[in-house]
Amino acid sequence: MSTAEATKPILEFRNINTHYGAVHILKDVNLAIYPGELVCLLGGNASGKSTTLKTLLGMVTPTSGEVVLDGEVVNDKPTSYRVERGVTMVPENRRLFKRLSVLENLQLGAYLRNDKDGIANDLERIYTMFPRVKERMHQKSGTLSGGEQQMVAMGRALMASPRVLLMDEPSMGLAPALVQTNFELIQQIHEEGIAIFMVEQNANMALSIADRGWVLQTGKVVLDDSADSLLANPDLRKSYLGEA
Amino acid sequence: MSDITADVAMTELADGLSEATEVVKGAFEIDRSKAVRFGGLLALALVFISLVGMPVGMDGRQILYWINPDVYVNHPDGQGLSLGYVALFLWPLLLGWAVGSEVVLEGMAATKRGAHDLVTGLVVGVIGGLGVSVLTMLLAWDREINPENGVPAYGMRDPLVNWNEDLYILLTFNRGWTFALWAWPLLAGLLAMFGAGLRLMSDPIRKAIVAALLAIVAVSIFQFLVDDLLGGLGETIADPGRLSNFFGDDPDAGRPNVDSVFDGLLDFVYAKTGGLRLQGVIFVGVVAAGLSLLGSYVTRGRVKAARQAYLDRPVAERTTSSAIGMVVIALALIILPFFTGKIVNELLANVGIFLLLALGLNIVVGLAGILDLGYVAFFAVGGYTTAVLTSAGRGESWPSWVPLFVTDDGEAVVGGWIIALVLVMIFAALTGLLIGAPVIRMRGDYLAIVTLGFGEIIRLLFLSDWLKGYFGGAQGITNIEGADFGFLGTVTGVNPRSVFYLVLFFSAIAIYVSWRLERSRLGRAWMAIREDESVAEAMGINTVNMKLMAFVVGAVLASFSGAIFSAKVGSIFPTSFLILVSIIILVVVIVGGMGNIMGVIAGSLVLIGVLGGPKQPGLLQEFSEYKLLIYGALLIWMMLKRPEGLVPNARRSRELHQEEFLQDAWLKGEVDTGDDEGEEGDAVATEVAPA
Ligand SMILES: Nc1ncnc2c1ncn2[C@@H]1O[C@H](COP(=O)(O)OP(=O)(O)OP(=O)(O)O)[C@@H](O)[C@H]1O
Ligand SMILES: [Mg+2]
């Protein structure tokens, strides 16, 4: 984050409020995600983490405040507009298109792209990254093992050639042995220069690889700090890391 | 010496005896509750079928004669076997077979098959047969206690429509109820025992027997089709010249009165009054069994291996070979009507009309996952729009600027139908948008219910007095001209062959479009929406627009079908567009295997061709009354046993039956269920290492 360019956030929340019907979920939330950084959003169940992601991606429209993408207010823009500009989500629980083949899933990741060559390149890149995925190319993704599904979910998101990857609890539902691998994978993607905004309940693990983090409590940002100081924060340790 | 031999003989005898007692004992060690359950089910099924009227209704159709085949005498003299009896005899056979099936639980060896299976079958059949005996007794009782002027009155006829003398005669074989009392248990018992016995036979033998039985029934009930096909083919062979005057408006052109070279064979097999002769039964049975045995022994699973090899080949190669297959099928379909008569062509034309509808619905339901229950609306819009544009008999209220493609002397304008079709297309697309836009945001069952409503609204609009000046209300629109294609001829209902070609043309287009769509970016977007709408949205797919598009594409295909339907039948009424049409098309799509083009084709052929459409008779005209019953039963059975449809796509079926596959594999020791977890973790770890 040394260049002047890097100081401008890709995605930003300015005083965002989101409601589901009359229920107030997000309350005056402010966030900013800068190019190439790895940040995480922590919070307990139903604190509004998934809602934050959906609002960022435009699947839910905020009732007030501004969602800003590259300096432009995109409140009224559809999801596709944001995906086209490099915002991509890996949904909770991977959510592959189960009855479609692995290849079809990957192709759907690149749905909004028109550059044939670029798509082919990215496909090759994903195949070298995950040789296992290539082997299973024509298998229905619903029949893959949990670990393989995680690879495909990541691959599908990468096929959109994203600048920011929004990840909703990437380690949820994975076997303990896979969680570690998964975090390594996220770091690897991050090293390629893709900004990552990760929602996690596994606070320890998430903070150990993140640059910065926020803590959300019933829709309010209660902590906003660097990962190191969050890890050291006694309040957080108490409420989220399960320490007395 | 002799003592020892005697001793040995004695022990051997004792051994033999105890072995025999074991077998006999074993034979009676049956699962009683299961036998009783299946027997009860059989009894219920037989009574139900009898009271529904199926046996009596189908009694006119003879399957086989064994005495004096050239004189038609109805069954009371017991000269043959009618379809009505087949409808009853089928069930003991099936349930006898079914009772032998076992659920093999994990790790438990299947119990040994043996004599006890036969006994179980017998018990099932006897119980089922007793059900019919009881029914016959009740009929007899009602018949005897209640005669009016000596004529049996059948007092229970009020609630039970088929409670009558015909049923009594049929069920008693016209030999009085005391005969039926023991005949049914015996007959059903033997049939069920035979059904159970099939499981004890070796594979090739069983296949041969089943093939022979099926062939006999099929050749007999499809007599009409066989007659028509062999007749046409034989005539053509006898007089090839007739092909030259083929393209013309006369449907019977090219079918001069030449004797078919197959007449001899047909006379040998069939009785003049319908049904197989005894010699025909033997001939067909032997040929079918022979072919089946030949297949089992000569090919020894080579066909299966070839199929597997085909499936294992890369997709690209498979595409070329399936393309070649398609061309061959298309050519076969193009020359088929050369050999078939008017009625078979009519049948094929109906199949085509519904195929077109089903292909459209397959895009909507199968690909995009939108459960549209009002699909008939677009069929109606297509039909009515065509009618308005090509019938001088359209309503009075149409302003003169609405074109009418009819000449002053009431003839169809050349190419008029094509222009009308373009307008139909536009109009159907607009209707699709109009109906689709408000409902498409709903999901699942809500959408299904709302579309159901819209389907009815459209029909009621056509029926209404309010729009009578336009659509004729209940009187509909008549005098619809055929589609005149100039030198290519005119397509009208009087010439089903021409309708068949028109339908074939459009079906080919629809099949091609569906096939391309499935492999396109658009098709993928639809499937993604079907699988998971919110994730599809997160991928940047504009779900609302895409769904609307699927809805409109489906609407346009349905309207094509409506346009052809209009030209074919020449007059349309609101009653041609009942909800039932939507339901039947949906059943075709589901039975064929949702989202599977070959399946939809197979579904249309079987359901519409054989059983018949909502109003159109199928090959088995006797079944038309029970069509809906059979549709319903088929649907339930399919959902339970073959959710992947008639022509499953290999991968889809693997997925739906995955549990079974895994279980089989596990039983065979092919799957190691040890802890995969660790292994997998390791594998991922190595693969994820920086590339
Ligand atoms: N579509 C919806 N309609 C109404 N309420 C919703 C909807 N989606 C979420 N909610 C509610 O909003 C609140 C926040 O949900 P959200 O999914 O953002 O929580 P979360 O922080 O992701 O929780 P978790 O860690 O359990 O995934 C919850 O109380 C939830 O019930
Ligand atoms: Mg969540």
Side-chain angles (χ1 to χ4, degrees), chain B residues 155-167:
Chain B
M156 298 226 315
R157 198 166 181 171
D158 196 4
L160 300 169
V161 198
N162 297 301
W163 188 266
N164 56 26
E165 185 77 7
D166 286 345
L167 182 62

Side-chain angles (χ1 to χ4, degrees), chain B residues 413-544:
Chain B
V413 174
V414 176
W417 186 82
I418 291 286
I419 305 172
L421 189 71
V422 175
L423 294 173
V424 164
M425 215 167 102
I426 296 169
F427 205 67
L430 285 178
T431 321
L433 280 175
L434 208 71
I435 297 183
V439 307
I440 213 75
R441 276 165 213 278
M442 295 180 205
R443 293 188 183 188
D445 20 10
Y446 298 104
L447 187 123
I449 290 165
V450 175
T451 51
L452 188 71
F454 269 110
E456 269 304 84
I457 290 173
I458 297 274
R459 183 180 69 87
L460 290 174
L461 282 179
F462 286 132
L463 178 65
S464 70
D465 279 342
W466 175 51
L467 294 175
K468 198 168 178 172
Y470 296 94
F471 303 115
Q475 279 76 49
I477 299 178
T478 50
N479 293 328
I480 302 166
E481 298 300 329
D484 194 337
F485 293 100
F487 69 95
L488 284 176
T490 306
V491 176
T492 57
V494 254
N495 185 352
R497 189 189 293 143
S498 64
V499 182
F500 172 78
Y501 281 127
L502 188 63
V503 160
L504 188 66
F505 178 73
F506 279 100
S507 299
I509 293 179
I511 289 170
Y512 181 73
V513 169
S514 312
W515 183 79
R516 292 292 307 179
L517 277 176
E518 237 180 274
R519 284 155 189 77
S520 70
R521 180 167 170 271
L522 181 61
R524 269 202 301 277
W526 282 338
M527 290 191 279
I529 293 171
R530 176 190 76 196
E531 296 299 307
D532 191 328
E533 203 167 329
S534 16
V535 178
E537 198 187 338
M539 300 284 108
I541 297 170
N542 187 329
T543 51
V544 173

Side-chain angles (χ1 to χ4, degrees), chain A residues 95 107 111 129 138 145, chain B residues 521 524 532 651 680 687:
Chain A
R95 303 256 300 256
Q107 286 169 327
Y111 178 75
M129 208 163 164
H138 295 297
S145 78
Chain B
R521 180 167 170 271
R524 269 202 301 277
D532 191 328
R651 276 188 292 157
E680 213 157 55
E687 277 158 19

Side-chain angles (χ1 to χ4, degrees), chain A residues 80-91:
Chain A
S80 56
Y81 184 85
R82 305 173 205 210
V83 176
E84 263 176 332
R85 280 158 190 76
V87 187
T88 302
M89 180 156 85
V90 182

Side-chain angles (χ1 to χ4, degrees), chain A residues 50 92 168-169:
Chain A
S50 298
E92 209 168 351
D168 200 346
E169 309 205 22

